[in-house]
Amino acid sequence: MTQSRWLPYALIAPAMVFLGIFFIVPLVQTIMLSFQGGSGFGLENYSKMVGDLNFGLAIKNTFLLVLTVIPLQVGLALAMGMMLQKMTAGRDVVLWIWTIPLGVSDLAAGLVWLALLQNTGYINSMLFAMGLIEGPTPWLNSETPVTLFVAVVLAEVWRATAIVLVILVGGLQLIPKEFGEAAEIFGAKPWTRFTRITLPLLKPSLQSALILRTVLAFEVFAVVYALGGRNFPVLVGEAYVWQRENQNYGVAAAYAVLVMIISLAATIFWLRALRTKPEAQA
Amino acid sequence: MAGIVIDRIAKSFGAVSALKEVSLEIADGEFVALLGPSGCGKTTLLRIMAGLETRSSGRVLIGGRDVSDLKPYERGLAMVFQNYAVFPHMTVYDNVGFGLTMQKKPKDVIDRQVKKAAALLHIEPYLERYPAKLSGGQRQRVAVARALAVEPAVLLMDEPLSNLDALLRLEMRAELKSVLREAGTTTVYVTHDQTEAMGLADRIAVMHGGKIVQIAPPTEVYSRPASMFVGGFVGSPPMNFIPVEARAGSVALGGQTLAAPRASGALTLGFRGEDVTLAPPGEAMPFTVRVAEPMGSHLLLTGRIGDAVVRVVAPPASIVKAGETVGLRLDPDRIVFMDAATGAATDLAA
Amino acid sequence: MTGPRRFLFVTGVITLCAWILVPIYLIALGSFGGRPAVFKWPKDWLPWNASLDAMLLFLRIEGVWNAAINSVIAAGLTMIFSILLGAPAGYALARFDFRGANAFRLLVLLTRAFPLAILALPLTVIFIKLGLYDTPFGVSLVHTALALPFAALVTASLFVGIPRELEEAAWVFGCTRWQAFTKVVLPLALPGVAAAAIFAFVISWNEVFAASVLTVRERTLTAYLLTVLSESPLHYRFAGGFILIVPSVLFIFAVRKYLFAMWGVSSK
């Protein structure tokens, strides 16, 4: 139809305005807020943040979590995706089961694993039945930082592998079977086919899965709270505490800005690390 | 019923000009095919007629009314799309009746028209089905029935048969022709398939590079192409072209002397593969056969005359082998001369 | 595949299914078993002592029911807003070639690189002034900012999947643009749009941080659970977790056909 020039703009205008008000404005405000302290404009909030006892711990914990969880999730999702490729009967059911956690919130996931890992929980019951422990054993308090960390990793992998899986399966479906078959005819073994054909062609999907997951992983907070309370400080959790309990919006905003900078850096990192040349795209 | 006037229609996409001031008059009830390779502008021209595409300049008149600035739904025409565009969420009946429903026709009129169009295209058994349950050929029939049901003044068809397999295409082509002749609808038919254009159209408009390079009845386009492009595009095998030199108003070709349109100078001689007779070598133009393909109805010979690749259609029983050199004698009434530089046909009389 | 390899493969698939399902089963046991089940040692693995009483008890705690209602309101509003705002934008991205389309696409994608929920922090101040603080409506506005980019991209991919020719056919046969949209495009896109709406609902239903920051008394369920986490007994926590999970799982089941249409677009 005769292209009305104004129509597309009218159609995107409401979304534009909304994102302007609820994304751009708070973004700018958060940054401003983080520089406003009791003594005017400056780095006061940041020095308060860095000086806090939990700050170093929160940074360490958050990064440790991201660096452990993401490779596990990608590896697991790749394995699951390849399994689904091979499956004929029951593929839909299995896929549905594997994507259930997609709808589970981080808070709920934390509570699920709390049910399993609490002192008199199911995992302890199992270990007891196997004779490995002698009675109810705590895993999630400040004296057991390693098992608490493992618990958070378990909950995160359990909950958020599904999103990586869905993105990767979507990408796998776009790769024509002929490529693998051609490689097979020329004598490529399954592992070679996976590393030389599938993985390179999957790069764009891997990239978007990694960006999405990394940004969300730096936001990790409710899982940790459900499992260990404040025994395991993470960055967004600290922002919550400063806003909620200390009523200090400035320091909370400083944490928010820090998380944003880290997220943005991670995004840029993945964009560069997994760049596909335009002419090499499938 | 209405005629169409295309008046100096031009269209450019940014710096690229897709149509260069194309003009075309189509008489009431006439069937015109727009024929050309992809990218020649034929589909753009059709879509401008439909109002689906804006024009850069020029006018479109349908039945004497200037429709250039009207929306598609105000133009009162019907169209058959390349991928059928049959609405998947409506039954065949609702699809065929769609145009009439939009015109707010009474139910009994719609019913009558739908049944009539369905009968014409033999889709009555499927009226209550959904398109997903139909084959490609059946969907195509629904698309045509939907267009005919509104009894449009003008019917536009955009490569309607290109998604059908060869056999079905042949069948639908014959059927389209008989149905449309009966309806007497002014039809513009876009295709890149020259056999479709030849078989269906009253006139063929051959398009190339955003221009109409020839508009004429099929037989004329075939035997008297306006340019080397038309000769090469229309017909299978395409027309053969060999460079010749005119001397004293005639061209001498190994034993044959043909009248030339010019006293002297370089020319290109064009002839169809079937307009030759085989002769013993030495008595006619020498033709070195490289490949001989028996096609059943004829023997297709590919070879060279001088440096030019030439394809010749010989009787099926001819005994010619690859590597052999035979003589070719041309039918002097069926040859064309082209200007060697421009590739445009030069009239013998001129 | 043959003998042992096939066995390995099937075992792997079943193990991974159990990895997802068993924890959900166990939290269900925990939440229906009530107080005795939590402290039972060692645990029962089958629901011998499960009853609805424990769950009903939880729902009768002051604030829980109200929080659940607030969650439903916030998620419902989020669903409506993100589709109403996102679907037109998606249609524009799918059907028009316009200056600024790429800039808009970039803005939408950019929201992914930011931890959006954190942006609720400065909004508290404005929301208090505007009377939006501590209301499900206010929460839904922030959640819409989360779900809207998603809704726009998903609907864009849905509309791209509906051939332009269908719309053009409708125009040629007498439809205005709006009629063609309602008669042809919308009926075809509706299941997918519904799936996108459900997903927007789930995004809001699950969100913790913004909801906690923006409410005090009118908590959503997630915010409520987070604040009472440290002081509430374990079986209440499990009941809360279980109630959070149930609708999400059902919704994912409802939209399972569209999962790839939705997340596939993120690779574009």
Side-chain angles (χ1 to χ4, degrees):
Chain A
M1 188 169 304
T2 27
Q3 291 249 347
S4 23
R5 278 168 213 288
W6 54 269
L7 187 58
Y9 296 103
L11 289 172
I12 61 162
M16 254 333 232
V17 171
F18 191 91
L19 285 180
I21 296 174
F22 289 97
F23 171 50
I24 305 288
V25 172
L27 180 68
V28 174
Q29 276 186 322
T30 306
I31 296 168
M32 304 276 285
L33 203 59
S34 73
F35 287 108
Q36 272 159 11
S39 52
F41 209 77
L43 291 172
E44 191 188 327
N45 292 322
Y46 287 93
S47 57
K48 225 183 215 165
M49 169 177 87
V50 176
D52 187 63
L53 210 59
N54 274 341
F55 176 75
L57 214 50
I59 289 261
K60 194 187 102 193
N61 287 342
T62 308
F63 271 87
L64 214 57
L65 257 182
V66 171
L67 292 176
T68 317
V69 165
I70 302 261
L72 281 175
Q73 286 176 333
V74 171
L76 190 59
L78 269 175
M80 288 165 127
M82 295 311 284
M83 282 174 160
L84 286 168
Q85 292 287 94
K86 291 226 159 159
M87 228 177 278
T88 41
R91 185 179 183 275
D92 288 348
V93 179
V94 171
L95 185 57
W96 176 60
I97 292 174
W98 287 357
T99 48
I100 284 176
L102 211 53
V104 176
S105 71
D106 42 357
L107 180 60
L111 293 170
V112 166
W113 285 86
L114 181 64
L116 269 73
L117 290 164
Q118 53 124 331
N119 299 0
T120 56
Y122 291 93
I123 292 196
N124 275 341
S125 292
M126 202 165 72
L127 295 174
F128 179 68
M130 289 159 72
L132 292 174
I133 52 173
E134 285 163 12
T137 313
W139 301 114
L140 303 173
N141 62 30
S142 49
E143 276 120 63
T144 56
V146 177
T147 49
L148 178 53
F149 176 76
V150 172
V152 175
V153 169
L154 278 174
E156 274 292 278
V157 172
W158 180 79
R159 176 183 74 91
T161 300
I163 179 64
V164 184
L165 174 69
V166 169
I167 295 177
L168 291 189
V169 169
L172 281 172
Q173 285 171 343
L174 292 179
I175 301 176
K177 270 210 162 71
E178 285 82 0
F179 291 159
E181 288 167 355
E184 194 173 357
I185 286 170
F186 288 112
K189 294 266 177 314
W191 180 251
T192 318
R193 291 207 297 275
F194 176 70
T195 53
R196 302 292 289 274
I197 310 282
T198 311
L199 268 188
L201 288 172
L202 208 54
K203 223 155 81 172
S205 303
L206 265 174
Q207 189 186 51
S208 49
L210 281 167
I211 291 176
L212 199 69
R213 261 318 295 153
T214 312
V215 170
L216 290 174
F218 277 114
E219 275 187 87
V220 69
F221 145 67
V223 177
V224 179
Y225 259 54
L227 283 169
R230 285 201 69 185
N231 291 334
F232 190 80
V234 287
L235 287 173
V236 174
E238 290 308 300
Y240 176 75
V241 170
W242 276 96
Q243 192 260 3
R244 199 80 242 174
E245 278 157 35
N246 308 355
Q247 292 287 317
N248 189 328
Y249 284 68
V251 178
Y255 268 107
V257 170
L258 180 67
V259 173
M260 277 194 293
I261 290 170
I262 295 172
S263 301
L264 216 54
T267 305
I268 292 168
F269 171 76
W270 288 125
L271 284 176
R272 300 215 159 194
L274 291 176
R275 188 166 26 192
T276 327
K277 291 195 201 103
E279 63 267 30
Q281 258 160 14
Chain B
M1 303 298 123
I4 305 171
V5 177
I6 310 279
D7 181 19
R8 282 167 297 155
I9 283 289
K11 170 77 183 176
S12 45
F13 296 100
V16 186
S17 115
L19 289 172
K20 297 165 185 157
E21 302 231 327
V22 173
S23 292
L24 174 65
E25 278 188 40
I26 299 166
D28 185 12
E30 194 181 15
F31 192 128
V32 168
L34 301 178
L35 174 67
S38 59
C40 72
K42 56 190 193 300
T43 295
T44 307
L45 183 58
L46 189 83
R47 289 171 58 82
I48 288 174
M49 288 187 215
L52 295 172
E53 196 91 62
T54 51
R55 72 210 189 283
S56 300
S57 63
R59 294 186 306 156
V60 177
L61 286 79
I62 295 178
R65 182 169 69 125
D66 187 345
V67 299
S68 314
D69 292 316
L70 297 186
K71 302 267 188 217
Y73 61 88
E74 297 165 322
R75 298 193 180 196
L77 36 76
M79 187 159 168
V80 178
F81 292 81
Q82 184 170 7
N83 299 311
Y84 323 136
V86 172
F87 304 126
H89 59 303
M90 297 181 193
T91 61
V92 169
Y93 185 97
D94 290 336
N95 262 291
V96 176
F98 186 80
L100 297 161
T101 313
M102 290 314 299
Q103 292 172 13
K104 303 212 161 57
K105 287 273 160 57
K107 278 233 159 52
D108 56 313
V109 175
I110 296 177
D111 193 60
R112 199 170 59 235
Q113 299 270 79
V114 168
K115 298 240 162 89
K116 193 171 139 198
L120 215 50
L121 285 139
H122 313 296
I123 50 169
E124 296 121 307
Y126 319 124
L127 279 176
E128 295 314 315
R129 289 200 202 165
Y130 282 91
K133 303 252 182 243
L134 301 181
S135 69
Q138 288 165 338
R139 273 182 232 182
Q140 183 57 30
R141 285 164 189 276
V142 175
V144 176
R146 177 174 65 183
L148 291 179
V150 296
E151 300 192 332
V154 166
L155 175 60
L156 306 178
M157 303 181 109
D158 184 9
E159 309 240 11
L161 303 183
S162 63
N163 282 344
L164 301 180
D165 62 52
L167 205 62
L168 208 53
R169 202 180 307 168
L170 205 65
E171 183 189 321
M172 271 305 284
R173 199 167 77 201
E175 207 159 320
L176 262 185
K177 185 156 188 168
S178 84
V179 165
L180 290 174
R181 181 181 302 139
E182 205 168 311
T185 312
T186 311
T187 306
V188 183
Y189 187 103
V190 162
T191 180
H192 66 268
D193 179 342
Q194 43 99 14
T195 53
E196 254 172 50
M198 298 280 295
L200 288 168
D202 296 323
R203 282 195 298 159
I204 296 177
V206 184
M207 294 188 67
H208 182 49
K211 281 192 255 187
I212 293 180
V213 288
Q214 183 171 20
I215 168 123
T219 48
E220 194 182 324
V221 170
Y222 184 77
S223 53
R224 308 227 69 84
S227 67
M228 284 177 68
F229 169 78
V230 178
F233 189 74
V234 177
S236 171
M239 191 172 245
N240 298 302
F241 295 104
I242 52 175
V244 292
E245 194 72 26
R247 285 205 185 81
S250 64
V251 167
L253 280 174
Q256 228 183 337
T257 307
L258 304 162
R262 279 187 207 149
S264 64
L267 287 168
T268 300
L269 170 71
F271 63 96
R272 291 280 173 195
E274 66 271 20
D275 295 333
V276 297
T277 41
L278 298 185
E283 283 176 35
M285 192 163 44
F287 169 59
T288 312
V289 179
R290 300 279 293 275
V291 182
E293 299 165 83
M295 310 299 282
S297 63
H298 60 268
L299 182 68
L300 181 63
L301 304 174
T302 306
R304 284 175 184 279
I305 295 177
D307 285 336
V309 175
V310 166
R311 287 188 187 81
V312 162
V313 177
S318 319
I319 302 162
V320 183
K321 287 195 194 71
E324 230 176 303
T325 301
V326 296
L328 289 186
R329 187 176 294 281
L330 304 181
D331 180 348
D333 294 333
R334 310 269 307 165
I335 58 168
V336 287
F337 283 104
M338 308 282 176
D339 188 292
T342 65
T346 55
D347 216 329
L348 258 183
Chain C
M1 265 179 296
T2 47
R5 285 193 61 192
R6 190 176 163 73
F7 176 75
L8 211 68
F9 182 80
V10 173
T11 314
V13 171
I14 292 173
T15 310
L16 285 167
C17 288
W19 154 250
I20 302 294
L21 291 177
V22 170
I24 294 180
Y25 168 72
L26 293 178
I27 197 178
L29 273 191
S31 57
F32 285 102
R35 204 181 144 72
V38 169
F39 296 106
K40 180 111 197 311
W41 177 263
K43 287 264 187 286
D44 291 329
W45 295 88
L46 293 166
W48 303 132
N49 298 314
S51 74
L52 275 176
D53 297 346
M55 189 57 81
L56 290 174
L57 212 62
F58 170 73
L59 285 175
R60 264 187 239 119
I61 299 172
E62 200 187 336
V64 170
W65 189 243
N66 188 37
I69 300 271
N70 282 337
S71 264
V72 171
I73 294 174
L77 289 174
T78 301
M79 176 167 94
I80 293 167
F81 293 152
S82 47
I83 293 301
L84 281 186
L85 298 169
Y91 183 78
L93 285 178
R95 281 290 191 264
F96 294 94
D97 238 349
F98 58 102
R99 201 183 287 265
N102 281 330
F104 180 69
R105 212 181 276 270
L106 192 71
L107 174 73
V108 168
L109 287 174
L110 200 64
T111 59
R112 288 230 176 116
F114 285 95
L116 273 179
I118 294 185
L119 298 180
L121 275 177
L123 285 175
T124 44
V125 184
I126 310 171
F127 274 22
I128 289 170
K129 276 190 202 142
L130 295 175
L132 293 173
Y133 185 73
D134 203 19
T135 62
F137 176 68
V139 173
S140 78
L141 288 177
V142 175
H143 286 175
T144 303
L146 279 169
L148 170 62
F150 184 75
L153 291 180
V154 171
T155 51
S157 81
L158 285 171
F159 291 132
V160 164
I162 296 171
R164 197 184 284 256
E165 270 195 348
L166 287 179
E167 231 173 316
E168 292 179 343
W171 299 340
V172 166
F173 287 103
C175 287
T176 61
R177 198 179 258 281
W178 175 246
Q179 284 174 321
F181 181 78
T182 54
K183 279 182 193 296
V184 175
V185 180
L186 204 55
L188 292 171
L190 212 52
V193 172
I198 287 174
F199 232 93
F201 188 97
V202 172
I203 286 176
S204 167
W205 177 263
N206 282 341
E207 204 281 327
V208 186
F209 188 87
S212 309
V213 168
L214 291 174
T215 55
V216 204
R217 273 199 246 129
E218 295 300 320
R219 294 282 191 204
T220 65
L221 198 54
T222 49
Y224 174 84
L225 288 173
L226 187 76
T227 34
V228 301
L229 212 50
S230 45
E231 62 251 32
S232 59
L234 280 174
H235 58 280
Y236 284 163
R237 296 190 215 173
F238 299 155
F242 183 71
I243 288 182
L244 274 181
I245 289 178
V246 171
S248 310
V249 171
L250 293 180
F251 284 151
I252 292 296
F253 183 72
V255 302
R256 67 195 182 287
K257 249 176 65 189
Y258 290 91
L259 285 181
F260 297 106
M262 287 194 272
W263 291 105
V265 294
S266 53
S267 54
K268 288 277 143 61

